[in-house]
Amino acid sequence: MRLPWLVASVTLLVPLLPAWAGTPVMINTGQRLDRWGESLAVLGDMALVQVDEQLEGDLNADGDAQDSFAGLWRDGAVTVTSVPVVAPYATTVGGRFALVVYEYSYGFDLNGDRDLGDAVVVTLATNGTWTSTGLAAPFGIAAADGLALLAVSEAQQGARDLNGDGDALDDVLHSYDTVGGSVRNLGLAVDYRLTGTPRIQNVWFNRQVAFVAVSEEVLGDRNGDGDGLDHMLVRVVLSSGAATVYPYAIHQSTWAGSTPSWEPHGALGRPADPDEPCRLFASTIGFLVSEGADGRDHNTDGDLLDRVVYRVRSNGTA
């Protein structure tokens, strides 16, 4: 069953398409949903939604009506889980929901650093049981093929240096495999903190390799144009963390400030918007290089005004 795009007030409308009709029939389930948008993820015929005590009353018998919980919606009914949420970004990975939980709202240390100040990714099964990944990743989750990529905050992960640069100021790329719950530190500092968004952006991957857009503010000047203002495409082998930087300034004219408007996440083979600076094919990523930002004439036409298409295969070859 496909969930609706149309919501009137707090009433959920579910479109059903009878075999005999050419026009969808709208059935009002009567179910009120407190939040609609970023707090929604869909898995089969079930949706993850946010349920607020301010509207529903004290759900956990703690004497207040200030909390919010993850709810599992199916067939017009919501089952409220014990997972506290605060306007989460949610997605699905490996047959489970994945979302960010704030420790202070739950009252437990979910990543083992002996404080309650972190935003930790948990996975939630359709029966309401949940598991902490143990990773503080306040800027969200990218998921594909049963694998999640997370930008883990060194500051929130016990103030630990996760990429070996001597500080605890970075967000470092990690993978989390829902099969067995294995975690791998990929050792690549990424600049998702700069985007100010609630989800990882600029990453495409399958279970073998990821392509990530990373700022020179993190990488340093990689294309030799004398500034640190560009974004480079980085290929990361997920089994080892081995990274290859392609030293070309990715075209940024469709970006708003430091927040790129790219397809946020997905497996290789899922096409990005054709008007945006990268596009995915079965085993190839094509990306636009800005001559102006790169300071090089890539198509040898005597100017620096063009956007030139480069490509790289998932195995790293041109």
Side-chain angles (χ1 to χ4, degrees), residues 20 25 89 102 159 166 181 221 239 283 300:
W20 48 265
V25 176
Y89 169 68
Y102 294 88
D221 180 13
S239 62
S283 61
T300 63

Side-chain angles (χ1 to χ4, degrees), residues 143-207:
D145 296 341
L147 193 71
L149 289 188
L150 313 171
V152 176
S153 166
E154 291 182 329
Q156 293 193 24
Q157 198 70 18
R160 295 163 51 198
D161 177 10
L162 299 174
N163 64 333
D165 67 349
D167 64 46
L169 304 175
D170 307 310
D171 297 300
V172 180
L173 198 65
H174 284 61
S175 66
Y176 176 80
D177 196 333
T178 57
V179 180
S182 62
V183 174
R184 182 179 295 275
N185 179 1
L186 299 172
L188 176 66
V190 291
D191 56 326
Y192 300 117
R193 180 177 299 156
L194 300 180
T195 70
T197 63
R199 62 186 180 186
I200 280 187
Q201 295 196 6
N202 309 337
V203 54
W204 299 267
F205 63 99
N206 55 24
R207 294 187 68 87

Side-chain angles (χ1 to χ4, degrees), residues 51-53 56-62 64 67 69 80:
V51 182
D52 289 341
E53 286 186 335
E56 304 296 343
D58 184 5
L59 297 171
N60 60 342
D62 66 350
D64 66 47
D67 308 312
F69 297 92
V80 180

